[in-house]
Amino acid sequence: MQDVPVAITAIGTEKLDQLQVNEFADVVKFLPSVTIQQGGPGFAQVYFRGVASGENANHSASLPTVGTYLDEMPITTIQGALDIHAYDLARVEALAGPQGTLYGASSMAGTLKLVTNAPDTSGFYGNAGVEINNVAHGDFGSVFEGFINAPLSDRAALRLVGWYRDDGGYIDNIPGSRTYATSGITQNNAALVEKNYNDAETYGARLALGIELNDSWTIKPTLMGQIQNTEGSYARERSGQNSGNYQTVQYNPESSRDKWMQAAMTIEGKLGSWDMTLTGGHLRRKTNTESDYSDYGYFYDALSGYGAYFYDNAGDYVSANQYIQGIDRYRKSFGEFRISSPQDASLRFIGGLFWQRQSHNIEQNYIIDDIADSITVPGTDSNIWLTKQQRTDRDYAAFGEASFDVTDKLTLTGGARLYKYNNSLVGFFGYSDGYSGDKVDPMGVPGVIVKDGTGVAGCGILSGPTRPAVVDGSPCTNVDKSTKDSGVTFKSNATYKINEDALVYATWSRGFRPGGINRRGTLPPYGADELDNYELGWKTNFGAFRFNGAVFQEDWNNIQLSFLGANGLTEIRNAGIARIRGVEMDVGYRQGGFTLNAGFTYLDAKIRRDFCEYADPASPYDCTIPIPDSLTDRDLLPQANSTLASSGTRLPVTPKFKANAVARYEFPVGSWNGHFQLAANHTGSRRSDLRDFQYGIKGKLQSYTTVDLSFGVKNDQWNIEAFTTNLFNEVGVVNTGVSCREDICGDPGGGTALGGTFYDTLIKPRIIGLKFSRDF
């Protein structure tokens, strides 16, 4: 790592175990340049160096800005990275800054790479371990994991890994009731009241083969899968009936089942003196989710009589209680060919070809029980709204990077990646024809019928025929668009090696993120955005000390800004410029049995132009230009434009300052080796939303600091350890939201019509545990 002129943090197998890393969020704690925004297990977005604009991970929204790899395969799905249980990993690498030359399109801001331990022909060995733990305010949990490495011959071996994890719940669903204003119907949650409501179960396995065909060629096939089941909500209710730090009031079941399987193969060999790598893989993922959406109906009804739209076949009101059942199916296939010249030559080259196709079959059922057939989306039992769409993202690239040793100390590197993408979205979203149907033209043209843009009514054009269903399970088609583009990104680097223990480097690199389709078909597609990174860095060793760092500036152009538009639908457009300036450093010290590692990142991340509700093509940052009539609801008067966020506003989600430190002391205990470890992590305050109005509603995400302790002993076979994470039971908020239409919610007021219900996703409370493992 010290010889690579890139800002990279790597955590190896032993260190991952020492830091009590089980899941994605545990890793991010110890990566100063990385921030996580999480709604619960399996649903997380990660950000490098402050490159975040408030993306909400909606299924038809922007791709992530961070690429995630499992060995050689990209595993970033359209809604985020896989939450892989961290066991038997060789290392986790965090590469900060654009990595678009040698990595894919989603590596605009950085790349996270999880590298598994490979099969080993040297001998038969393995490990088995068990952990018992208890979470404060909650239940007991456990972890069982193990692996075996078995040679099949002197040229072949297999590695079989398995794990099971049971995470205890710590949030209580407490009793509550509410009466809907229009219908007068009272609802309670008595059937769902439960202590420690949010438990999770994770289990999976990996089988890998390593086959040496001869002295030059190897084949490494891998099959890996995981299932994660959760119950309950992972957010506390910030206001409302009798809510506390670890309490919520939910009126409908909440759960998720995240199931995925990946098959991959890597072939490595030599073509003459050149190295060749051919790798490919296929990933399938299916998530089933249940979500409580009753808050939206309750507060919207209290404000505007929303419940008057919901009646049964007899014409009587029904409860406006609403819940969501979702099924998301992902498929990703990729292939890459790389070739590299001998690495001991003064001129070195690496290049190749890349192809990727990922699809997302989206099904979101918004259900209100017992509504009339006339307002039920055709083909569903009781849907007031249906999203049934097929999203497909295709990426193609040719890349190359050359390095030349000008002298023994100075190396120059240049690289380029030619890319092309072609992304599409087709299907249905919206209401039935009876709920949102044809309207007489409000502009006064007699007899003209205007088709509403959502739902069945939007499947026709004026008074024309209805477009038939393209996606199975949809009643018809009201969105069918695609967008494509091509371009090139570049990278240049100069590295000066002062001596064997110190180097300095300067890098300019550019990353990009492909454009896509807005789910509301009447809106235009959004284009790619780009990030230019200017960086000066150093890597040094002074005996027992290590001191690395970098200062950087990142210019983010044509930002894909997302916000909620009509009907609460996410809308995305390219209307932003931001500048991120920062510094990151890490230090290490090792002497005898004592080690100390510490790192921090400081960021000044701000937008540089006003973010307008409407961006006029000629003057996108002039918020005084009125919104054209053609882009407003035809039933309303023309709207004035507004400034959603002013120039100089800090980018959301990521903190100005994040730091961690780990101190460890190892010492003899009779014939055993003992250790004591202290780890501290600090995450600074964060802006919850880029937009001023929504930020005023949600409030600031406050800073928090956690402390972890562990003590243990081990010998050649046994390892016994007691530990605690979040020792002082810090309440840290990693995500926040309001379950109500953001344009009608005011300050949290404990149940008032304009109050809304505010939810905060929290870090885990204090966990105390005991681990045993045995090598064999």
PDB file of all heavy atoms in Angstrom, residues 142-168:
ATOM      1  N   SER A 142     -26.327 -13.600  18.368  1.00  0.00           N
ATOM      2  CA  SER A 142     -25.289 -14.608  18.242  1.00  0.00           C
ATOM      3  C   SER A 142     -24.726 -14.615  16.830  1.00  0.00           C
ATOM      4  O   SER A 142     -25.364 -14.141  15.887  1.00  0.00           O
ATOM      5  CB  SER A 142     -25.837 -15.996  18.585  1.00  0.00           C
ATOM      6  OG  SER A 142     -26.918 -16.325  17.720  1.00  0.00           O
ATOM      7  N   VAL A 143     -23.508 -15.146  16.702  1.00  0.00           N
ATOM      8  CA  VAL A 143     -22.846 -15.315  15.412  1.00  0.00           C
ATOM      9  C   VAL A 143     -22.176 -16.686  15.406  1.00  0.00           C
ATOM     10  O   VAL A 143     -21.486 -17.049  16.370  1.00  0.00           O
ATOM     11  CB  VAL A 143     -21.779 -14.226  15.160  1.00  0.00           C
ATOM     12  CG1 VAL A 143     -21.133 -14.433  13.792  1.00  0.00           C
ATOM     13  CG2 VAL A 143     -22.378 -12.825  15.261  1.00  0.00           C
ATOM     14  N   PHE A 144     -22.392 -17.432  14.328  1.00  0.00           N
ATOM     15  CA  PHE A 144     -21.708 -18.697  14.102  1.00  0.00           C
ATOM     16  C   PHE A 144     -21.073 -18.642  12.719  1.00  0.00           C
ATOM     17  O   PHE A 144     -21.759 -18.344  11.740  1.00  0.00           O
ATOM     18  CB  PHE A 144     -22.686 -19.872  14.183  1.00  0.00           C
ATOM     19  CG  PHE A 144     -23.410 -19.984  15.493  1.00  0.00           C
ATOM     20  CD1 PHE A 144     -24.619 -19.319  15.684  1.00  0.00           C
ATOM     21  CD2 PHE A 144     -22.893 -20.728  16.536  1.00  0.00           C
ATOM     22  CE1 PHE A 144     -25.298 -19.413  16.887  1.00  0.00           C
ATOM     23  CE2 PHE A 144     -23.559 -20.825  17.746  1.00  0.00           C
ATOM     24  CZ  PHE A 144     -24.764 -20.167  17.925  1.00  0.00           C
ATOM     25  N   GLU A 145     -19.779 -18.930  12.634  1.00  0.00           N
ATOM     26  CA  GLU A 145     -19.108 -18.830  11.347  1.00  0.00           C
ATOM     27  C   GLU A 145     -17.924 -19.780  11.305  1.00  0.00           C
ATOM     28  O   GLU A 145     -17.355 -20.153  12.347  1.00  0.00           O
ATOM     29  CB  GLU A 145     -18.653 -17.391  11.079  1.00  0.00           C
ATOM     30  CG  GLU A 145     -17.861 -16.770  12.201  1.00  0.00           C
ATOM     31  CD  GLU A 145     -17.741 -15.244  12.086  1.00  0.00           C
ATOM     32  OE1 GLU A 145     -18.469 -14.628  11.288  1.00  0.00           O
ATOM     33  OE2 GLU A 145     -16.901 -14.678  12.800  1.00  0.00           O
ATOM     34  N   GLY A 146     -17.573 -20.186  10.095  1.00  0.00           N
ATOM     35  CA  GLY A 146     -16.448 -21.090   9.955  1.00  0.00           C
ATOM     36  C   GLY A 146     -16.061 -21.274   8.507  1.00  0.00           C
ATOM     37  O   GLY A 146     -16.817 -20.939   7.587  1.00  0.00           O
ATOM     38  N   PHE A 147     -14.851 -21.806   8.298  1.00  0.00           N
ATOM     39  CA  PHE A 147     -14.398 -22.112   6.946  1.00  0.00           C
ATOM     40  C   PHE A 147     -13.461 -23.306   6.991  1.00  0.00           C
ATOM     41  O   PHE A 147     -12.851 -23.621   8.027  1.00  0.00           O
ATOM     42  CB  PHE A 147     -13.691 -20.916   6.303  1.00  0.00           C
ATOM     43  CG  PHE A 147     -12.275 -20.695   6.740  1.00  0.00           C
ATOM     44  CD1 PHE A 147     -11.211 -21.361   6.119  1.00  0.00           C
ATOM     45  CD2 PHE A 147     -11.980 -19.831   7.789  1.00  0.00           C
ATOM     46  CE1 PHE A 147      -9.903 -21.164   6.537  1.00  0.00           C
ATOM     47  CE2 PHE A 147     -10.670 -19.636   8.206  1.00  0.00           C
ATOM     48  CZ  PHE A 147      -9.624 -20.308   7.579  1.00  0.00           C
ATOM     49  N   ILE A 148     -13.371 -23.984   5.853  1.00  0.00           N
ATOM     50  CA  ILE A 148     -12.350 -25.009   5.663  1.00  0.00           C
ATOM     51  C   ILE A 148     -11.651 -24.737   4.341  1.00  0.00           C
ATOM     52  O   ILE A 148     -12.275 -24.306   3.366  1.00  0.00           O
ATOM     53  CB  ILE A 148     -12.927 -26.440   5.677  1.00  0.00           C
ATOM     54  CG1 ILE A 148     -13.992 -26.617   4.583  1.00  0.00           C
ATOM     55  CG2 ILE A 148     -13.478 -26.797   7.042  1.00  0.00           C
ATOM     56  CD1 ILE A 148     -14.417 -28.065   4.397  1.00  0.00           C
ATOM     57  N   ASN A 149     -10.356 -24.965   4.334  1.00  0.00           N
ATOM     58  CA  ASN A 149      -9.547 -24.895   3.108  1.00  0.00           C
ATOM     59  C   ASN A 149      -8.998 -26.293   2.857  1.00  0.00           C
ATOM     60  O   ASN A 149      -8.311 -26.854   3.727  1.00  0.00           O
ATOM     61  CB  ASN A 149      -8.408 -23.896   3.274  1.00  0.00           C
ATOM     62  CG  ASN A 149      -7.589 -23.737   2.003  1.00  0.00           C
ATOM     63  OD1 ASN A 149      -7.854 -22.858   1.194  1.00  0.00           O
ATOM     64  ND2 ASN A 149      -6.583 -24.586   1.820  1.00  0.00           N
ATOM     65  N   ALA A 150      -9.316 -26.880   1.707  1.00  0.00           N
ATOM     66  CA  ALA A 150      -8.960 -28.266   1.450  1.00  0.00           C
ATOM     67  C   ALA A 150      -8.272 -28.405   0.098  1.00  0.00           C
ATOM     68  O   ALA A 150      -8.882 -28.102  -0.938  1.00  0.00           O
ATOM     69  CB  ALA A 150     -10.205 -29.150   1.487  1.00  0.00           C
ATOM     70  N   PRO A 151      -7.010 -28.858   0.066  1.00  0.00           N
ATOM     71  CA  PRO A 151      -6.370 -29.147  -1.214  1.00  0.00           C
ATOM     72  C   PRO A 151      -7.027 -30.359  -1.877  1.00  0.00           C
ATOM     73  O   PRO A 151      -7.339 -31.356  -1.213  1.00  0.00           O
ATOM     74  CB  PRO A 151      -4.921 -29.461  -0.824  1.00  0.00           C
ATOM     75  CG  PRO A 151      -4.753 -28.949   0.566  1.00  0.00           C
ATOM     76  CD  PRO A 151      -6.100 -29.043   1.203  1.00  0.00           C
ATOM     77  N   LEU A 152      -7.271 -30.268  -3.158  1.00  0.00           N
ATOM     78  CA  LEU A 152      -7.789 -31.392  -3.934  1.00  0.00           C
ATOM     79  C   LEU A 152      -6.663 -32.138  -4.633  1.00  0.00           C
ATOM     80  O   LEU A 152      -6.790 -33.310  -4.968  1.00  0.00           O
ATOM     81  CB  LEU A 152      -8.812 -30.896  -4.947  1.00  0.00           C
ATOM     82  CG  LEU A 152     -10.005 -30.133  -4.360  1.00  0.00           C
ATOM     83  CD1 LEU A 152     -10.921 -29.640  -5.477  1.00  0.00           C
ATOM     84  CD2 LEU A 152     -10.779 -30.991  -3.370  1.00  0.00           C
ATOM     85  N   SER A 153      -5.579 -31.425  -4.897  1.00  0.00           N
ATOM     86  CA  SER A 153      -4.360 -31.985  -5.475  1.00  0.00           C
ATOM     87  C   SER A 153      -3.270 -30.951  -5.256  1.00  0.00           C
ATOM     88  O   SER A 153      -3.491 -29.942  -4.578  1.00  0.00           O
ATOM     89  CB  SER A 153      -4.550 -32.285  -6.967  1.00  0.00           C
ATOM     90  OG  SER A 153      -4.633 -31.071  -7.711  1.00  0.00           O
ATOM     91  N   ASP A 154      -2.094 -31.198  -5.837  1.00  0.00           N
ATOM     92  CA  ASP A 154      -1.043 -30.200  -5.673  1.00  0.00           C
ATOM     93  C   ASP A 154      -1.283 -28.971  -6.542  1.00  0.00           C
ATOM     94  O   ASP A 154      -0.559 -27.977  -6.437  1.00  0.00           O
ATOM     95  CB  ASP A 154       0.323 -30.806  -5.981  1.00  0.00           C
ATOM     96  CG  ASP A 154       0.406 -31.369  -7.394  1.00  0.00           C
ATOM     97  OD1 ASP A 154      -0.651 -31.443  -8.067  1.00  0.00           O
ATOM     98  OD2 ASP A 154       1.517 -31.722  -7.817  1.00  0.00           O
ATOM     99  N   ARG A 155      -2.333 -29.005  -7.406  1.00  0.00           N
ATOM    100  CA  ARG A 155      -2.647 -27.850  -8.254  1.00  0.00           C
ATOM    101  C   ARG A 155      -4.095 -27.366  -8.099  1.00  0.00           C
ATOM    102  O   ARG A 155      -4.549 -26.528  -8.881  1.00  0.00           O
ATOM    103  CB  ARG A 155      -2.390 -28.174  -9.726  1.00  0.00           C
ATOM    104  CG  ARG A 155      -0.906 -28.255 -10.089  1.00  0.00           C
ATOM    105  CD  ARG A 155      -0.724 -28.372 -11.578  1.00  0.00           C
ATOM    106  NE  ARG A 155       0.677 -28.336 -11.967  1.00  0.00           N
ATOM    107  CZ  ARG A 155       1.353 -27.234 -12.239  1.00  0.00           C
ATOM    108  NH1 ARG A 155       0.743 -26.072 -12.153  1.00  0.00           N
ATOM    109  NH2 ARG A 155       2.626 -27.290 -12.591  1.00  0.00           N
ATOM    110  N   ALA A 156      -4.817 -27.871  -7.133  1.00  0.00           N
ATOM    111  CA  ALA A 156      -6.217 -27.464  -6.971  1.00  0.00           C
ATOM    112  C   ALA A 156      -6.604 -27.487  -5.503  1.00  0.00           C
ATOM    113  O   ALA A 156      -6.129 -28.329  -4.726  1.00  0.00           O
ATOM    114  CB  ALA A 156      -7.144 -28.368  -7.784  1.00  0.00           C
ATOM    115  N   ALA A 157      -7.456 -26.553  -5.117  1.00  0.00           N
ATOM    116  CA  ALA A 157      -7.941 -26.468  -3.740  1.00  0.00           C
ATOM    117  C   ALA A 157      -9.318 -25.826  -3.739  1.00  0.00           C
ATOM    118  O   ALA A 157      -9.705 -25.122  -4.692  1.00  0.00           O
ATOM    119  CB  ALA A 157      -6.981 -25.656  -2.878  1.00  0.00           C
ATOM    120  N   LEU A 158     -10.060 -26.094  -2.672  1.00  0.00           N
ATOM    121  CA  LEU A 158     -11.354 -25.438  -2.500  1.00  0.00           C
ATOM    122  C   LEU A 158     -11.392 -24.765  -1.138  1.00  0.00           C
ATOM    123  O   LEU A 158     -10.678 -25.151  -0.208  1.00  0.00           O
ATOM    124  CB  LEU A 158     -12.517 -26.413  -2.667  1.00  0.00           C
ATOM    125  CG  LEU A 158     -12.740 -27.536  -1.657  1.00  0.00           C
ATOM    126  CD1 LEU A 158     -13.399 -27.062  -0.369  1.00  0.00           C
ATOM    127  CD2 LEU A 158     -13.606 -28.616  -2.285  1.00  0.00           C
ATOM    128  N   ARG A 159     -12.256 -23.772  -1.037  1.00  0.00           N
ATOM    129  CA  ARG A 159     -12.467 -23.065   0.227  1.00  0.00           C
ATOM    130  C   ARG A 159     -13.978 -22.916   0.408  1.00  0.00           C
ATOM    131  O   ARG A 159     -14.660 -22.345  -0.451  1.00  0.00           O
ATOM    132  CB  ARG A 159     -11.775 -21.698   0.222  1.00  0.00           C
ATOM    133  CG  ARG A 159     -11.616 -21.085   1.614  1.00  0.00           C
ATOM    134  CD  ARG A 159     -10.818 -19.802   1.522  1.00  0.00           C
ATOM    135  NE  ARG A 159     -10.450 -19.266   2.815  1.00  0.00           N
ATOM    136  CZ  ARG A 159      -9.271 -19.432   3.410  1.00  0.00           C
ATOM    137  NH1 ARG A 159      -8.335 -20.163   2.804  1.00  0.00           N
ATOM    138  NH2 ARG A 159      -9.012 -18.899   4.589  1.00  0.00           N
ATOM    139  N   LEU A 160     -14.485 -23.449   1.515  1.00  0.00           N
ATOM    140  CA  LEU A 160     -15.907 -23.399   1.823  1.00  0.00           C
ATOM    141  C   LEU A 160     -16.094 -22.574   3.084  1.00  0.00           C
ATOM    142  O   LEU A 160     -15.490 -22.858   4.122  1.00  0.00           O
ATOM    143  CB  LEU A 160     -16.468 -24.807   2.021  1.00  0.00           C
ATOM    144  CG  LEU A 160     -17.951 -24.906   2.380  1.00  0.00           C
ATOM    145  CD1 LEU A 160     -18.825 -24.334   1.261  1.00  0.00           C
ATOM    146  CD2 LEU A 160     -18.342 -26.358   2.666  1.00  0.00           C
ATOM    147  N   VAL A 161     -16.932 -21.543   3.003  1.00  0.00           N
ATOM    148  CA  VAL A 161     -17.147 -20.601   4.098  1.00  0.00           C
ATOM    149  C   VAL A 161     -18.643 -20.520   4.387  1.00  0.00           C
ATOM    150  O   VAL A 161     -19.466 -20.509   3.457  1.00  0.00           O
ATOM    151  CB  VAL A 161     -16.621 -19.198   3.718  1.00  0.00           C
ATOM    152  CG1 VAL A 161     -16.700 -18.259   4.910  1.00  0.00           C
ATOM    153  CG2 VAL A 161     -15.200 -19.274   3.191  1.00  0.00           C
ATOM    154  N   GLY A 162     -19.014 -20.472   5.649  1.00  0.00           N
ATOM    155  CA  GLY A 162     -20.420 -20.328   6.018  1.00  0.00           C
ATOM    156  C   GLY A 162     -20.581 -19.445   7.236  1.00  0.00           C
ATOM    157  O   GLY A 162     -19.675 -19.329   8.073  1.00  0.00           O
ATOM    158  N   TRP A 163     -21.750 -18.800   7.355  1.00  0.00           N
ATOM    159  CA  TRP A 163     -22.009 -17.922   8.500  1.00  0.00           C
ATOM    160  C   TRP A 163     -23.498 -17.833   8.796  1.00  0.00           C
ATOM    161  O   TRP A 163     -24.346 -18.000   7.918  1.00  0.00           O
ATOM    162  CB  TRP A 163     -21.452 -16.515   8.243  1.00  0.00           C
ATOM    163  CG  TRP A 163     -22.019 -15.832   7.019  1.00  0.00           C
ATOM    164  CD1 TRP A 163     -23.137 -15.045   6.940  1.00  0.00           C
ATOM    165  CD2 TRP A 163     -21.473 -15.895   5.694  1.00  0.00           C
ATOM    166  NE1 TRP A 163     -23.327 -14.607   5.655  1.00  0.00           N
ATOM    167  CE2 TRP A 163     -22.317 -15.105   4.858  1.00  0.00           C
ATOM    168  CE3 TRP A 163     -20.363 -16.524   5.116  1.00  0.00           C
ATOM    169  CZ2 TRP A 163     -22.085 -14.945   3.504  1.00  0.00           C
ATOM    170  CZ3 TRP A 163     -20.133 -16.360   3.762  1.00  0.00           C
ATOM    171  CH2 TRP A 163     -20.985 -15.583   2.968  1.00  0.00           C
ATOM    172  N   TYR A 164     -23.785 -17.605  10.063  1.00  0.00           N
ATOM    173  CA  TYR A 164     -25.145 -17.343  10.533  1.00  0.00           C
ATOM    174  C   TYR A 164     -25.057 -16.283  11.618  1.00  0.00           C
ATOM    175  O   TYR A 164     -24.263 -16.402  12.555  1.00  0.00           O
ATOM    176  CB  TYR A 164     -25.799 -18.605  11.097  1.00  0.00           C
ATOM    177  CG  TYR A 164     -27.160 -18.330  11.706  1.00  0.00           C
ATOM    178  CD1 TYR A 164     -28.308 -18.355  10.923  1.00  0.00           C
ATOM    179  CD2 TYR A 164     -27.285 -18.022  13.063  1.00  0.00           C
ATOM    180  CE1 TYR A 164     -29.552 -18.085  11.472  1.00  0.00           C
ATOM    181  CE2 TYR A 164     -28.520 -17.749  13.620  1.00  0.00           C
ATOM    182  CZ  TYR A 164     -29.649 -17.779  12.828  1.00  0.00           C
ATOM    183  OH  TYR A 164     -30.877 -17.488  13.373  1.00  0.00           O
ATOM    184  N   ARG A 165     -25.844 -15.228  11.489  1.00  0.00           N
ATOM    185  CA  ARG A 165     -25.831 -14.131  12.466  1.00  0.00           C
ATOM    186  C   ARG A 165     -27.255 -13.765  12.857  1.00  0.00           C
ATOM    187  O   ARG A 165     -28.110 -13.572  11.990  1.00  0.00           O
ATOM    188  CB  ARG A 165     -25.114 -12.907  11.883  1.00  0.00           C
ATOM    189  CG  ARG A 165     -24.868 -11.816  12.914  1.00  0.00           C
ATOM    190  CD  ARG A 165     -24.034 -10.673  12.369  1.00  0.00           C
ATOM    191  NE  ARG A 165     -24.825  -9.652  11.722  1.00  0.00           N
ATOM    192  CZ  ARG A 165     -24.660  -9.247  10.472  1.00  0.00           C
ATOM    193  NH1 ARG A 165     -23.736  -9.799   9.712  1.00  0.00           N
ATOM    194  NH2 ARG A 165     -25.422  -8.293   9.957  1.00  0.00           N
ATOM    195  N   ASP A 166     -27.491 -13.659  14.136  1.00  0.00           N
ATOM    196  CA  ASP A 166     -28.791 -13.258  14.684  1.00  0.00           C
ATOM    197  C   ASP A 166     -28.581 -11.976  15.474  1.00  0.00           C
ATOM    198  O   ASP A 166     -27.913 -11.993  16.514  1.00  0.00           O
ATOM    199  CB  ASP A 166     -29.355 -14.367  15.575  1.00  0.00           C
ATOM    200  CG  ASP A 166     -30.684 -13.991  16.210  1.00  0.00           C
ATOM    201  OD1 ASP A 166     -31.395 -13.152  15.632  1.00  0.00           O
ATOM    202  OD2 ASP A 166     -31.015 -14.534  17.293  1.00  0.00           O
ATOM    203  N   ASP A 167     -29.101 -10.862  14.974  1.00  0.00           N
ATOM    204  CA  ASP A 167     -28.949  -9.563  15.639  1.00  0.00           C
ATOM    205  C   ASP A 167     -30.192  -9.261  16.467  1.00  0.00           C
ATOM    206  O   ASP A 167     -31.316  -9.216  15.935  1.00  0.00           O
ATOM    207  CB  ASP A 167     -28.749  -8.452  14.608  1.00  0.00           C
ATOM    208  CG  ASP A 167     -27.449  -8.611  13.843  1.00  0.00           C
ATOM    209  OD1 ASP A 167     -26.466  -9.045  14.457  1.00  0.00           O
ATOM    210  OD2 ASP A 167     -27.421  -8.317  12.637  1.00  0.00           O
ATOM    211  N   GLY A 168     -29.991  -9.041  17.755  1.00  0.00           N
ATOM    212  CA  GLY A 168     -31.108  -8.744  18.638  1.00  0.00           C
ATOM    213  C   GLY A 168     -31.702  -7.368  18.385  1.00  0.00           C
ATOM    214  O   GLY A 168     -31.001  -6.414  18.046  1.00  0.00           O
TER     215      GLY A 168
END
